[in-house]
C-alpha cells in the first residue's frame, strides 16, 4: 500500500475515493480523503443519517499467544483482564515519564488473541513497544486489513443488510462474520459519538464492501466522509486527538483520562510517574471551551483569565451542530478552574469570551 510519492501509503480504496471526486490530502504518512461534497454536509449526515469512512490508515497490530495478555498489561494502562472475548477497550501507551505515546483501542478477538488499533502516526512506535515487552507470542503488523466504518443513527439499518447479526452487538463489542465467504471482524465502535460500526475487512474485499455499503445506504441518506468530518465530529464529543490534545508531554491525569488507567492491575510503563504526579500535584487539566461570540478558535491560541495567560488551545474549530466555535485547552493551575467559568481566547489578535465546559459539547451517545 506504499507509493513512490514521498513514501506516502495509499489505501486500496483510493480509486473509489477518486471516482467519488474526493479531495485528497496527506495525513500521518498516508494519502487519504479529506472531504467529498464538503465537511459540513458529511458531518451532518453522520449526526442525522449515516456516513461511511475509510479508516485503513489506522494501525493494526495482532498480538497472539499464551502470554499476550500479560504483555499488553505491561505495555498499556487499562486492565485488559476485564475484557471478554469479543470485547474492546480504550487504552493508552505511556512513556517512562507518564506521557501519552498513543491512545488506542484493543479488540479481544480470541482467548489469547488481541487486535491493537493505534493511530496512524504512532503505529510504528506502538508495534515496537509491544515487541519489546513480548516473550514468545506473535506480534504482527497487519497492513493487509482495511477498516470501513459506517457511522450514524441509521448505521444499524445499513449494517443489518450486509451482516444480519451486526445490530445485536453491544457497544465496544465485535464478532467474526462472513462476507463473500471470507471471515472478517465487525465491531460496534467508532470515533464520532454516534452509533456505528467498524468493518475489519481483508484488503482483497475492501472495494467491493465499500461499494455495497454506499449502494445499500443510498436510500438511508449515506454520505462518504473524509478526515475533515471525522475531526469535527470527534471535537464536538471532546474526544482527544493525539498530537493535539494528548501527547508524550501530557499525562492521562492532566488529560482527564484516568478512567482508562488501572493503577491496581500491576506494573506498566509509566505507572510510577503517574503515582508521583498524583502525589506531587497535577499541574493542568484539559477542558472544553465554548465560544460566546462569533470567533472561531483553532489550535495554539492563547487563553486568558483576569488578564493572565492560563493556557493555550490544543484543538478548535466550528461546531456544525451548535453553530459556534469550540475548543479544547489545558488550563493551569488545575484547581483554579471549574465548569461555568469564563475565559478569553485570543483569536488572531481579537479576544473572545468562552465558557469553560466539561465535554462532550453535544448531547450524543455511541451506545
Amino acid at each position: 500500500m506504499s507509493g513512490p510519492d514521498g513514501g506516502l501509503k495509499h489505501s486500496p480504496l483510493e480509486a473509489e475515493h477518486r471516482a467519488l471526486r474526493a479531495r485528497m490530502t496527506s495525513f500521518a504518512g498516508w494519502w487519504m480523503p479529506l472531504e467529498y461534497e464538503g465537511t459540513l454536509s458529511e458531518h451532518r449526515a453522520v449526526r442525522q443519517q449515516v456516513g461511511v469512512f475509510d479508516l485503513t490508515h489506522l494501525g493494526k497490530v495482532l498480538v497472539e499467544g499464551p502470554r499476550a495478555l500479560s504483555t499488553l498489561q505491561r505495555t498499556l494502562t487499562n486492565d485488559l483482564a476485564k475484557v471478554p472475548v469479543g470485547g474492546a477497550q480504550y487504552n493508552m501507551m505511556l512513556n517512562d515519564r507518564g506521557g501519552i505515546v498513543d491512545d488506542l483501542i484493543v479488540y479481544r478477538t480470541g482467548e489469547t488473541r488481541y487486535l491493537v488499533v493505534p493511530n496512524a502516526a504512532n503505529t510504528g512506535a506502538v508495534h515496537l513497544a509491544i515487541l519489546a515487552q513480548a516473550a514468545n507470542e506473535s506480534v504482527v503488523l497487519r497492513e493487509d486489513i482495511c477498516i470501513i466504518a459506517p457511522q450514524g443513527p441509521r448505521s444499524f439499518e445499513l449494517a443489518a443488510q450486509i451482516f444480519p447479526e451486526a445490530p445485536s452487538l453491544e457497544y465496544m463489542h465485535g464478532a467474526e462474520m462472513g462476507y463473500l465467504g471470507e471471515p472478517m471482524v465487525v465491531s460496534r465502535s467508532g470515533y464520532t459519538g454516534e452509533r456505528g460500526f467498524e468493518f475489519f475487512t481483508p484488503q482483497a474485499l475492501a472495494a467491493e464492501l465499500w461499494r455495497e455499503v454506499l449502494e445499500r445506504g443510498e436510500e438511508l441518506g449515506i454520505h462518504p466522509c473524509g478526515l475533515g468530518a471525522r475531526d469535527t465530529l470527534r471535537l464536538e464529543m471532546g474526544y482527544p486527538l493525539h498530537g493535539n490534545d494528548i501527547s508524550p508531554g501530557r499525562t492521562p491525569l492532566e488529560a482527564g483520562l484516568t478512567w482508562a488507567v488501572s493503577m491496581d492491575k500491576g506494573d506498566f510503563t509509566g505507572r510510577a510517574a503517574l503515582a508521583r504526579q498524583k502525589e506531587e500535584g497535577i499541574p493542568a487539566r484539559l477542558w472544553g471551551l465554548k465560544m460566546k461570540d462569533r470567533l472561531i478558535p483553532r489550535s495554539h491560541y492563547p487563553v486568558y483569565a483576569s488578564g493572565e495567560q492560563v493556557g493555550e488551545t490544543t484543538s478548535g474549530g466550528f461546531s456544525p451542530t451548535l453553530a459556534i466555535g469550540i475548543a479544547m485547552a489545558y488550563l493551569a493551575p488545575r484547581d483554579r478552574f471549574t465548569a461555568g467559568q469564563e475565559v478569553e481566547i485570543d483569536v488572531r489578535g481579537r479576544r473572545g469570551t468562552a465558557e469553560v465546559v466539561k465535554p462532550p459539547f453535544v448531547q450524543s451517545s455511541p451506545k
Side-chain angles (χ1 to χ4, degrees):
M1 289 187 282
S2 296
D5 46 352
L8 288 177
K9 295 182 178 180
H10 294 256
S11 167
L13 296 174
E14 185 172 329
E16 305 296 322
H17 303 319
R18 292 192 180 279
L20 293 166
R21 298 187 177 182
R23 178 185 168 195
M24 306 295 288
T25 188
S26 60
F27 177 77
W30 286 77
W31 191 240
M32 297 296 292
L34 177 65
E35 61 181 9
Y36 299 82
E37 295 181 3
T39 293
L40 288 180
S41 61
E42 293 163 26
H43 178 109
R44 290 178 180 132
V46 174
R47 286 278 182 253
Q48 297 169 13
Q49 291 100 25
V50 61
V52 61
F53 298 83
D54 175 9
L55 304 182
T56 300
H57 63 295
L58 296 178
K60 285 81 60 176
V61 182
L62 187 63
V63 185
E64 186 172 12
R67 300 185 63 181
L69 174 60
S70 59
T71 292
L72 292 173
Q73 290 283 68
R74 294 192 303 272
T75 310
L76 306 176
T77 60
N78 216 336
D79 189 359
L80 280 165
K82 298 177 180 179
V83 180
V85 174
Q89 186 185 69
Y90 180 82
N91 236 302
M92 285 171 285
M93 177 178 288
L94 309 182
N95 56 32
D96 289 336
R97 300 181 302 280
I100 303 171
V101 174
D102 197 29
D103 68 329
L104 47 85
I105 302 292
V106 181
Y107 300 84
R108 188 178 181 188
T109 58
E111 283 291 341
T112 60
R113 185 173 66 247
Y114 298 83
L115 181 62
V116 180
V117 181
N119 287 290
N122 300 324
T123 299
V126 170
H127 183 212
L128 290 175
I130 297 173
L131 279 172
Q133 292 282 2
N136 297 321
E137 59 271 30
S138 171
V139 182
V140 179
L141 190 60
R142 292 293 303 272
E143 294 189 316
D144 59 320
I145 298 175
C146 300
I147 306 177
I148 296 173
Q151 299 278 303
R154 305 198 72 179
S155 62
F156 271 56
E157 299 171 65
L158 172 60
Q161 297 180 55
I162 307 172
F163 303 101
E165 314 98 311
S168 65
L169 291 171
E170 296 180 19
Y171 177 60
M172 291 298 280
H173 282 73
E176 190 174 275
M177 300 182 190
Y179 183 71
L180 298 180
E182 295 291 331
M184 54 176 284
V185 172
V186 174
S187 174
R188 276 271 335 266
S189 49
Y191 190 54
T192 65
E194 297 295 333
R195 299 202 307 166
F197 299 86
E198 292 177 315
F199 303 154
F200 293 80
T201 177
Q203 180 178 334
L205 300 180
E208 191 154 358
L209 179 57
W210 173 268
R211 289 192 291 267
E212 183 170 356
V213 166
L214 286 175
E215 181 181 343
R216 291 183 180 273
E218 188 172 356
E219 64 179 15
L220 304 175
I222 197 169
H223 282 55
C225 300
L227 295 172
R230 182 170 159 85
D231 189 54
T232 56
L233 288 159
R234 71 89 195 165
L235 180 57
E236 286 189 341
M237 295 303 297
Y239 294 158
L241 176 65
H242 196 276
N244 287 53
D245 311 301
I246 53 178
S247 69
R250 292 291 185 179
T251 73
L253 306 184
E254 297 166 63
L257 296 173
T258 52
W259 57 270
V261 178
S262 181
M263 295 292 284
D264 58 358
K265 71 167 181 174
D267 196 26
F268 57 87
T269 303
R271 183 188 183 282
L274 295 186
R276 285 195 302 271
Q277 187 180 66
K278 192 172 183 179
E279 183 176 341
E280 295 170 359
I282 303 166
R285 175 180 169 170
L286 185 64
W287 283 98
L289 303 178
K290 185 187 294 186
M291 297 301 299
K292 291 196 165 186
D293 52 38
R294 297 173 65 89
L295 296 179
I296 307 299
R298 305 292 179 185
S299 58
H300 305 299
Y301 286 3
V303 181
Y304 295 89
S306 303
E308 172 191 8
Q309 184 171 350
V310 293
E312 180 182 87
T313 56
T314 54
S315 286
F318 177 76
S319 163
T321 303
L322 301 176
I324 59 171
I326 57 175
M328 305 278 284
Y330 285 94
L331 302 182
R334 179 179 183 270
D335 296 334
R336 176 175 175 178
F337 297 93
T338 58
Q341 287 183 251
E342 290 187 352
V343 294
E344 291 184 318
I345 304 178
D346 189 319
V347 180
R348 297 182 178 180
R350 294 178 59 194
R351 290 196 185 183
T353 302
E355 179 186 358
V356 177
V357 300
K358 185 177 181 180
F361 295 94
V362 300
Q363 296 304 311
S364 185
S365 173
K367 297 180 180 180

